[in-house]
Amino acid sequence: MSSSEKQQEARASLVAVAQEPGAPKPDPILVAVGVQRQFGGLTAVDVSRFELQRGTITALIGPNGAGKTTFFNLLTGFDKPNEGEWTFDGRSLAGMPAYKVARTGMVRTFQLTKALSKMTVMQNMLLGAPNQKGENFFRGLIPGIWSGQEKANRERAEELLRHFKLDAKADDFAGSLSGGQRKLLEMARALMVQPELVMLDEPMAGVNPALKQSLLDHIRELREAGMTVLFVEHDMDMVRDVSDWVVVMAQGEIVAEGTPREVMQQQAVIDAYLGEHHSVSLDSGSGS
Amino acid sequence: MDIGLILNQSITQGLGVQAVIFALAAIGLNVHFGYTGLLNFGQAAFLAVAAYGLGVTVATLGFSLWVGLIVGVLAAVVLALILGIPTLRLRADYLAIVTIATAEIVRLVVRSVTLRDIFGGSDGINRFADEFYALNPFSSGLALGPLTFSRNDLFVVVVGWLLVLLSCLIVFLAMRSPWGRVLKGIREDEEAVRSLGKNVYSYKMQALVVGGVLGCLGGFVFAISSQSVQPDNYGTDLTFFAWAAMILGGAARVFGPVLGSILFWFLLVFINVTLTEAVRVGYITFIDGTQVGQIQFWILGLTLMLLMIFRPQGILGDKRELAFDVK
């Protein structure tokens, strides 16, 4: 894989960052402090500090039940924390409803893909476009008011669909797509919102190996286009390949942070994945 | 058997004032359920508050009919807000429970003895639509082939079908707009729509109001056509007949509820008159004329069941977009 300028830039920005949980970043786009979520007696998430470097691809990894998705839900307003503060681009998001979070430029996808299956692929895409005049009931009744904007949105959607190789499916119902194509559609639809930060919850889950590579390429392209990416993933190989920085969660807390190569060596990460008292490196056998 | 009589009555009812009322109620339901996925089991309440808003304003308070119509629409809007504020943040089934209860509460309040001076108790309110009939441009009734309408009925039916067409036009325009696209998205998965920056709660509320106001037009037609509002006309059967009409014609289709309502009333009257005639002539001997009323609903119910099994999307529906899974 050729390393692009943006990748070098992203990795260079993280060189001086300490490889420890909660490490401060030189230019954080997202900062979370003291975010806690309890379900009854169980503390699902307890993140004392988390910073996300702008323009990077950051992976959030951890074993099942580590609280990754819950943390995602909290940051994006889909769940409310018991306590905690977080800012996106300097704006406080705590207590903000999910739809407003999305409007600030922080858009997420879901672990279980939410393609709107009884709408066409194109309708799915158009739904993502922000600030539509025709989304007001009264203005919607008069096509002249919104048709121009609709046309522009449609062109942008067609371009994205071509890019994600879904253009041939534009008029098909989203329910007829394969699992991998739905993941692609969900990503393309999120891009219609014109986000600055894209948060992908297990984008590779249930996708065949061939499509995984193309998904990885798409994730890289998000960074090339100047966006920041935070994604949840299980598969270590995927993480190593694409991410500039890795954050490891276990039992609700961030237990390690660092570059992909180094974080895999850390005892806390090995403990989290394999249980304590293991001396095996997770990186062994990868041929690196 | 008098085949002519059977057809005359069925066709007249299928295009008559009942069909108009249920078409309007079902058009509103279609906005709620067909396009937005909201389970409203209290559509009768929207018709009731509109009819009573009109009746009370004109007969009890002495204002003109036109003020009454405005009050009726406002009442429907307020009802939608009252229903929506506590329930639209919850799961869909809560709205279903609350709406069915609310419709019964509305009916019991207007028929209560305590409020008799305002709503007229179980007798309801009568004779408040003279202003409407004074505008009747027709000089006589209609007797065209099987269709027979009196002069006043003809006026109501013509105005009623114009309202149906206008409502269909509004639904058509709204659902091809980006506004309608958001509603359909909510029907499919509201979390996804939320993640794209749309205020789902507000859109569900708007859908509830729009569908309620369209349905409330049926309440006006009901009230004006009979010059009376009576509490027991707005029971749960009104709501479920409207549901049946919508499903029969095809939900999430502009003309589905209209076709459904026409067919529903045609079938209901066709079955009734055919059975009555068959009993009278002596073809059927094991039931008598008074039992026909019950049996017509058995047969209608059976017809609807067969429809759901063999065409779950309704007559005009698109199976890929919305179908009822009966398996």
Side-chain angles (χ1 to χ4, degrees), chain B residues 143-166:
Chain B
L144 180 73
L147 282 174
T148 41
F149 291 116
S150 73
R151 178 170 172 261
N152 277 351
D153 282 353
L154 181 64
F155 185 36
V156 174
V157 166
V158 168
V159 172
W161 284 117
L162 287 175
L163 279 177
V164 169
L165 280 181
L166 179 69

Side-chain angles (χ1 to χ4, degrees), chain A residues 78 98-99 102-103 110 114 116 118-119 123 126-127 129 132 134-135 137 140-141 143 146 150 173 189 193, chain B residues 170 173-174 176-179 181-182 184-185 188-189 191-199 203 210 320-321:
Chain A
F78 279 81
Y99 77 91
R103 287 180 191 177
F110 295 86
K114 293 186 185 293
L116 306 165
K118 286 170 181 178
M119 294 167 73
Q123 283 179 322
L126 290 171
L127 192 57
Q132 296 189 47
E135 286 184 353
F137 173 70
L141 293 178
W146 49 265
E150 181 90 346
F173 280 78
R189 192 177 62 191
V193 188
Chain B
I170 290 172
L173 289 173
R176 70 201 280 264
S177 77
W179 184 82
R181 188 160 62 216
V182 178
K184 289 179 209 165
E188 295 307 310
D189 191 325
E191 298 267 275
V193 176
R194 201 171 276 137
S195 78
L196 297 172
K198 317 293 174 194
N199 185 349
Y203 279 102
V210 170
R320 294 172 305 173
E321 182 170 355

